[in-house]
């Protein structure tokens, strides 16, 4: 099939690359000309494991190309995926301006039948709005098109395998023929497909993300109670997760959720509910717990260090989660900005995200390894659970530090093991190992 993917971000590139991998002819489009030039030269604008190799393979095979000329991509394609941003607007709702601008362009360039697929996360009713916008801008009003909602569930850090081996594919459309065509497109993936109407598909995405955010805030609220009563939240979560009705995933207590999706999607769903006179007040509590986790973490650091001015703080991890360079809504940003504002000297190591983080955290010092981050540190913080932090030489790490204290916002280490290495170890919802400094 001939496909255009509009938007070459964390969703657009994996989508375009994987559709090409399935044998389709794919043109990826972005209005950011520098980004497109980089992609044409094989330079990746984002970090995503395995993506670069697959991209180069499909470019070489002649199935994947890049352009900043949307009109050309529209003309060449039967199916147009819209994967542009829907950031949070000032009123908490999703900002639809990028999606609607693409819809208007599609309308202006509509010369034959097209299927337009919303991959961007868009509020309920957006499919109809996109249809209306295309129709309004179409020069020849007799040309038909269909709009399909196909929400994206990939996770940054495993986007390639999530796209090639999805757990489910949701196809929402008011046109049976269009839904069947998209089912055909995804057939090689052999994934469960759920066909719905447009609005239901849009709702599935928001309900899924809000549920996962709720799960995270739930375990964080439990973690805080565990700390007070002297229980261990990691073991509580393990015990809960053995129940198949609960499941073990998204039950890691810590700094809370971040990233480009959960915070804005929870807000957007609350706005939709409010606008429609329905209460989703429980999501307000989800947000409150999430914000509190960062404050709690900062208070743990202050409790340990006293006055922050002049104190040296080492940091392991900045990205909002491992295996990505994405810093959007990363908990490291408010936490480290607060510490630096209080006079701490902060040196941080992240395998991928330092460059982007340094534009959001003024005064952050770059460390090129975990050991460099630990030099002279009064405390070492864990803010992202990169797997390489599990395999450190802890004697070497301790030898670099001024004081052997670790405050772990992601609960990645075993409490006993940290005692064996001689670290005073403080984490989230688990008892401190009580070692004196
Ligand atoms: N990032 C994720 O993990 C994820 C997962 C599921 C769903 N989503 C949703 O997918 C959508 C895209 O997210 P993202 O993280 O890839 O965003 P992003 O910001 O990484 O990428 C969006 C891209 O769209 C381009 N763009 C904007 N307007 C354009 C236009 N008119 N023409 C051409 N290009 C244009 C931008 O230049 C940018 O490169 C959002 O709605 C998001 O909520 C994201």
């Amino acid at each position: 099939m001939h496909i255009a993917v509009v938007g070459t971000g964390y969703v657009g590139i994996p989508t375009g690359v994987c559709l090409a991998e399935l044998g389709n002819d794919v043109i990826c489009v972005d209005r950011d000309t520098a980004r497109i030039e980089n992609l044409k030269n094989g330079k990746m604008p984002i970090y995503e494991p395995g993506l670069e190799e697959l991209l180069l393979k499909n470019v070489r095979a002649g199935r994947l190309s890049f352009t900043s000329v949307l009109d050309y991509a529209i003309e060449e394609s039967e199916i147009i995926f819209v994967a542009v941003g829907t950031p949070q607007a000032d009123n908490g709702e999703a900002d639809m301006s990028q999606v609607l601008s693409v819809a208007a362009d599609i309308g202006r360039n509509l010369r034959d039948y097209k299927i337009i697929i919303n991959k961007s996360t868009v509020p309920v009713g957006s499919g109809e709005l996109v249809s209306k916008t295309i129709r309004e801008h179409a020069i020849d009003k007799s040309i038909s098109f269909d709009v399909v909602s196909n929400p994206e569930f990939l996770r940054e850090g495993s986007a390639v395998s999530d796209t090639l081996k999805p757990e489910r594919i949701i196809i929402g459309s008011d046109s049976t023929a269009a839904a069947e065509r998209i089912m055909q497109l995804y057939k090689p993936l052999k994934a469960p497909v759920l066909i719905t109407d447009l609005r239901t598909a849009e709702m599935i995405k928001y309900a899924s993300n809000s549920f996962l955010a709720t799960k995270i805030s739930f375990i964080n609220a439990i973690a805080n109670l565990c700390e007070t009563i002297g229980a261990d939240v990691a073991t509580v979560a393990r015990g809960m997760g053995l129940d198949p009705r609960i499941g073990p995933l998204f039950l890691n207590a810590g700094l809370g959720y971040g990233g480009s999706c959960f915070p804005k999607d929870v807000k957007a769903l609350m706005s939709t509910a409010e606008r429609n006179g329905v209460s989703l007040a429980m999501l307000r509590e989800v947000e409150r717990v999430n914000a509190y986790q960062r404050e709690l973490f900062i208070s743990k650091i202050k409790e340990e260090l006293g006055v922050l001015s002049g104190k040296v703080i080492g940091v392991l991890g900045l990205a909002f989660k491992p295996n990505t360079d994405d810093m959007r809504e990363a908990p490291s940003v408010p936490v480290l900005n607060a510490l630096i504002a209080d006079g701490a000297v902060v040196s941080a190591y992240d395998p991928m995200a330092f460059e982007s983080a340094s534009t959001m955290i003024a005064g952050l010092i770059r460390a090129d390894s975990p050991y460099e981050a630990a030099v002279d540190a009064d405390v070492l913080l864990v803010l992202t659970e990169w797997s390489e932090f599990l395999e450190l030489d802890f004697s070497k790490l301790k030898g670099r530090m001024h004081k052997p204290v670790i405050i772990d916002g992601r609960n990645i280490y075993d409490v006993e093991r940290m005692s064996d290495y001689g670290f005073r170890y403080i984490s989230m919802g688990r008892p401190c190992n009580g070692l004196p400094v």
Side-chain angles (χ1 to χ4, degrees):
M1 297 185 194
H2 292 275
I3 296 171
V5 178
V6 188
T8 57
Y10 288 89
V11 168
I13 302 180
T15 301
V17 167
C18 292
L19 287 170
E21 178 67 12
L22 296 182
N24 300 290
D25 287 315
V26 181
I27 306 173
C28 289
V29 198
D30 208 293
R31 64 181 178 186
D32 181 338
T33 48
R35 184 171 274 246
I36 289 297
E37 277 317 301
N38 279 334
L39 283 164
K40 280 182 179 170
N41 295 321
K43 270 177 76 181
M44 294 292 287
I46 58 166
Y47 170 70
E48 187 58 55
L51 189 58
E52 185 171 359
E53 296 83 334
L54 209 58
L55 179 142
L56 294 174
K57 176 186 163 197
N58 282 283
V59 169
R60 274 196 298 270
R63 291 189 293 262
L64 182 63
S65 62
F66 302 95
T67 181
S68 46
V69 185
L70 181 57
D71 302 3
Y72 159 76
I74 294 169
E75 202 171 315
E76 292 293 307
S77 310
E78 172 203 355
I79 297 171
I80 303 163
F81 280 85
V82 180
V84 297
T86 47
Q88 189 183 309
D90 292 340
N91 62 1
E93 299 198 4
D95 175 353
M96 285 289 290
S97 58
Q98 296 179 29
V99 172
L100 294 181
S101 146
V102 174
D105 277 329
I106 293 172
R108 277 190 282 273
N109 289 282
L110 198 65
R111 294 197 181 85
D112 50 9
Y113 173 77
K114 312 268 181 214
I115 300 177
I116 296 93
I117 304 188
N118 268 341
K119 255 224 171 292
S120 299
T121 303
V122 289
V124 175
S126 298
E128 291 142 33
L129 190 57
V130 164
S131 280
K132 185 168 163 267
T133 308
I134 295 173
R135 214 170 298 118
E136 273 169 11
H137 288 82
I139 293 154
D140 181 347
K141 308 278 183 206
S142 69
I143 295 172
S144 67
F145 64 91
D146 284 305
V147 173
V148 171
S149 166
N150 172 219
E152 182 54 65
F153 298 101
L154 67 76
R155 295 159 297 178
E156 286 176 24
S158 55
V160 171
S161 60
D162 288 349
T163 309
L164 289 175
K165 292 186 201 117
E167 273 138 12
R168 85 285 215 190
I169 293 168
I170 307 293
I171 300 174
S173 181
D174 299 333
S175 152
T176 311
E180 272 168 11
R181 186 89 178 116
I182 302 311
M183 241 175 103
Q184 235 11 69
L185 174 68
Y186 284 129
K187 204 169 175 192
L189 298 179
K190 299 186 172 69
V193 176
L194 181 63
I195 298 202
T196 75
D197 58 79
L198 264 172
R199 288 181 164 234
T200 303
E202 290 164 346
M203 190 63 195
I204 287 170
K205 175 65 188 173
Y206 280 102
S208 300
N209 274 3
S210 297
F211 181 78
L212 292 173
T214 303
K215 220 174 160 189
I216 293 171
S217 278
F218 180 83
I219 201 65
N220 279 331
I222 294 295
N224 299 338
L225 182 58
C226 283
E227 256 180 45
T228 312
I229 62 174
D232 176 338
V233 74
T235 313
V236 170
R238 208 172 321 133
M240 288 169 65
L242 289 170
D243 182 336
R245 293 172 303 175
I246 297 173
L249 302 179
F250 282 73
L251 285 181
N252 299 324
L255 283 164
Y257 59 81
S260 67
C261 293
F262 287 6
K264 80 170 170 65
D265 292 350
V266 167
K267 269 218 163 36
L269 185 59
M270 283 196 291
S271 286
T272 301
E274 234 162 74
R275 208 169 356 97
N276 288 281
V278 175
S279 168
L280 267 181
M282 63 183 293
L283 291 181
R284 254 196 292 282
E285 185 60 11
V286 168
E287 281 191 318
R288 193 199 61 75
V289 171
N290 202 53
Y292 176 71
Q293 291 310 106
R294 289 123 204 237
E295 288 167 28
L296 177 69
F297 189 71
I298 293 169
S299 67
K300 282 173 189 257
I301 298 164
K302 288 186 172 166
E303 210 170 287
E304 200 54 31
L305 295 184
V307 175
L308 289 185
S309 183
K311 295 279 165 48
V312 177
I313 297 179
V315 175
L316 301 184
L318 295 163
F320 89 93
K321 68 173 188 172
N323 299 320
T324 181
D325 58 352
D326 198 346
M327 281 296 298
R328 291 178 286 185
E329 300 289 329
S332 61
V333 177
V335 167
L336 299 184
N337 276 328
L339 301 179
I340 291 170
D342 279 354
V345 177
V346 180
S347 164
Y349 168 72
D350 188 286
M352 287 295 159
F354 185 87
E355 215 165 291
S356 166
S358 63
T359 65
M360 303 162 99
I361 307 165
L364 191 65
I365 300 164
R366 180 190 199 112
D368 286 325
S369 72
Y371 307 103
E372 201 177 311
V375 171
D376 294 333
D378 293 293
V379 66
L380 191 64
L381 310 179
V382 180
L383 301 186
T384 314
E385 62 275 38
W386 286 91
S387 58
E388 68 178 82
F389 300 154
L390 296 173
E391 305 301 331
L392 299 177
D393 176 340
F394 288 99
S395 309
K396 183 173 164 186
L397 197 72
K398 190 173 160 224
R400 300 278 158 102
M401 294 177 71
H402 179 225
K403 290 181 179 171
V405 183
I406 294 180
I407 305 184
D408 181 355
R410 299 296 184 182
N411 286 358
I412 63 172
Y413 298 127
D414 181 68
V415 180
E416 296 302 314
R417 202 164 149 235
M418 287 298 108
S419 300
D420 295 345
Y421 286 120
F423 285 101
R424 178 171 167 77
Y425 181 63
I426 297 157
S427 53
M428 307 290 275
R430 298 184 298 173
C432 168
N433 66 354
L435 248 61
V437 181

